[in-house]
Amino acid sequence: MQKQKKLVYSVGVNDADYPTRKYETTNGKCKPIWRCPFYVAWVNMLSRCYSPIYQAKYPTYIGCTVTPEWRNFSAFKSWMEQQPWEGNQLDKDILFPENKLYSPNACVFVPAALNKFLNDNSAAKGALPTGVHLHRGRYMVQCENPFTLKREFLGYHGSPAEAHSAWRKRKHELACQWADMQDDPRIAKALRGRFA
């Protein structure tokens, strides 16, 4: 009888029919030399949803779950093999903003720079909207351009709402530039709808 493997984060079943890590022993020390990229992506996804330690550090993942199908590693791997995953990151909410479920119809792989652009948390400390900073009694707006990698100054405004509107307008322009670069029409459509 084969020994049952321990669940990953109490929910995931590693049903791989091959070793997901390879080790090398040098001078009596064992160190990993390879990790299966499919397994790494799967474990990272489970961690975001089911690790209290991860969620304490990144509370935006509280309430996120993985569809039952993907709790089996082999099912997630089969899906991932059909995606443009190399050099990209798994994202669950580009197609459906504020989505909390990792599933085949919601998830896509996107460049890290695009992921960072959509998750721009550069808001000033306090109650001001994203992109707005109080500077000498006026509401200053800045937006990082993901193509030039420079922070753009978008002017001063009389109210937080007016300033945030200027930030959203620029973010929408940049999102449309990202959309023009996409091969996946679903991602392009979602980007054109962002910040509008």
Side-chain angles (χ1 to χ4, degrees):
M1 177 181 267
Q2 187 177 1
K3 184 181 177 183
Q4 187 171 2
K5 295 180 181 178
K6 182 180 175 183
L7 292 175
V8 180
Y9 291 106
S10 302
V11 296
V13 177
N14 177 7
D15 55 357
D17 58 0
Y18 63 93
T20 56
R21 298 179 188 189
K22 291 182 181 174
Y23 297 88
E24 180 179 80
T25 303
T26 307
N27 298 327
K29 292 184 179 180
C30 185
K31 66 176 184 177
I33 57 170
W34 176 83
R35 294 176 70 196
C36 170
F38 304 107
Y39 186 77
V40 170
W42 181 70
V43 169
N44 288 343
M45 173 183 67
L46 293 175
S47 171
R48 290 191 287 271
C49 295
Y50 303 108
S51 167
I53 294 170
Y54 190 93
Q55 292 184 351
K57 190 172 180 181
Y58 303 102
T60 56
Y61 287 99
I62 293 172
C64 289
T65 59
V66 174
T67 189
E69 173 190 359
W70 275 7
R71 293 178 193 174
N72 290 310
F73 169 63
S74 60
F76 176 80
K77 178 178 180 285
S78 294
W79 173 84
M80 184 172 163
E81 287 173 324
Q82 305 303 313
Q83 309 304 313
W85 61 269
E86 292 186 78
N88 291 325
Q89 295 179 340
L90 179 66
D91 187 277
K92 64 171 172 39
D93 51 17
I94 283 181
L95 300 182
F96 306 102
E98 300 183 30
N99 174 52
K100 294 280 191 180
L101 177 67
Y102 282 89
S103 65
N105 71 325
C107 290
V108 291
F109 278 90
V110 297
L114 174 55
N115 217 355
K116 181 182 177 193
F117 168 76
L118 293 173
N119 296 315
D120 184 6
N121 295 320
S122 61
K125 303 291 184 223
L128 292 175
T130 305
V132 181
H133 307 267
L134 189 60
H135 184 258
R136 296 182 182 175
R138 295 187 294 172
Y139 298 101
M140 180 180 75
V141 183
Q142 292 182 317
C143 179
E144 188 171 319
N145 186 317
F147 304 106
T148 64
L149 302 179
K150 293 182 179 178
R151 187 167 289 278
E152 298 178 351
F153 173 69
L154 304 178
Y156 292 100
H157 299 271
S159 72
E162 185 183 311
H164 185 61
S165 179
W167 178 84
R168 287 183 65 88
K169 181 178 182 230
R170 183 60 180 143
K171 286 287 278 193
H172 181 253
E173 292 168 354
L174 294 168
C176 287
Q177 287 183 42
W178 271 113
D180 292 340
M181 300 164 55
Q182 301 308 307
D183 293 327
D184 187 329
R186 299 172 306 155
I187 298 174
K189 180 180 177 183
L191 288 170
R192 289 190 180 96
R194 280 291 178 103
F195 311 107

